[in-house]
Amino acid sequence: MHAHHRVLLGELQKHRRNRVHPQSNDSYLSSGHLYLDVPVPTRRTLAKAWLKENQGIPDAEFLAVVESLYRGMSYEEKTLASILLSYHRAGRQIVGLKRVSTWLDDLVGWAEIDTLCSGVFTADEILANWRAWERLIRGLARGRNINKRRAALVFLTAPVRYSDDKRLSALSFEVIRALQPEREKIITKAVSWLLRSMVRYHKREVSAYLKNNQSSLPAVAVRETKRKIATGRK
């Protein structure tokens, strides 16, 4: 365990809640990892405070702290690693994508995957290294690990919502097409999420895709995406 990891874990443990609470078994968490019941706002506050106190930390050491947290025992350690990454652009710029794939090996369930894959890496960062990201996402979509297959979908949700770049939408449809036969909820809800994220810039293409693939898409994805197109709401 990295020394900074030990400090951060101590802070998490200080904020641990001892509630009789079912969320540790909630379908959104669903990781089976130790659950400390530390709220997301508290984790964000801890991350910002640590970054402020250690603002001169070399990027390589920052990544060593992140990797140590991803190997931690608890849900909170793993998600705190992703929160730190989301606040540290310089650190993200030296992350090799093989390392990202390795981090995913330690993440299980919706929330752990989503905290890393949605909103950490921006559209401009992905497009600036497009060929590598394209290979990574395609590889994740073909993998045996269902958590990595979800990651392939979720990595695209924020970029395609905020960018009209055709490379993003083309890869999104490719990944959806590959994974739409699956019926595990962890995948079907991600397919729905990605389709809805594309509505802002690609409404016509999404409508056509629904029409042509309605019988093979998960029912929840069809239903939720149609509602998004009709109402503009989630």
Side-chain angles (χ1 to χ4, degrees), residues 70-149:
Y70 277 129
R71 293 192 297 268
M73 299 295 293
S74 71
Y75 158 79
E76 281 78 7
E77 289 164 271
K78 296 173 187 297
T79 53
L80 182 61
S82 297
I83 292 169
L84 285 168
L85 269 176
S86 72
Y87 292 149
H88 199 287
R89 186 180 180 99
R92 294 197 306 274
Q93 288 176 338
I94 66 168
V95 174
L97 296 190
K98 286 185 179 179
R99 186 178 303 210
V100 173
S101 183
T102 299
W103 291 341
L104 287 167
D105 290 329
D106 291 312
L107 304 183
V108 177
W110 303 34
E112 291 181 6
I113 293 297
D114 295 359
T115 307
L116 172 60
C117 301
S118 176
V120 171
F121 296 96
T122 65
D124 65 294
E125 289 169 341
I126 289 175
L127 290 169
N129 192 19
W130 175 247
R131 292 300 184 191
W133 274 101
E134 188 178 40
R135 286 194 298 271
L136 173 67
I137 291 171
R138 283 176 171 160
L140 295 174
R142 294 192 298 266
R144 294 183 178 181
N145 184 335
I146 194 170
N147 298 288
K148 287 190 170 185
R149 297 200 299 278

Side-chain angles (χ1 to χ4, degrees), residues 7-11 15 19 21 41 64 84 89 91 97 112-113 118 121 130 179 183 186 189 199 206-208 210:
V7 170
L8 287 164
L9 177 57
E11 291 299 313
H15 292 86
R19 300 183 299 165
H21 197 283
L84 285 168
R89 186 180 180 99
L97 296 190
E112 291 181 6
I113 293 297
S118 176
F121 296 96
W130 175 247
L179 298 179
R183 289 299 179 264
I186 193 172
K189 293 293 286 185
V199 168
V206 172
S207 296
L210 289 182

Side-chain angles (χ1 to χ4, degrees), residues 1-9 50 54 57 61 65 69:
M1 181 184 293
H2 193 285
H4 282 293
H5 177 178
R6 188 173 292 108
V7 170
L8 287 164
L9 177 57
W50 183 85
N54 297 277
I57 189 170
E61 186 175 2
V65 177
L69 285 165

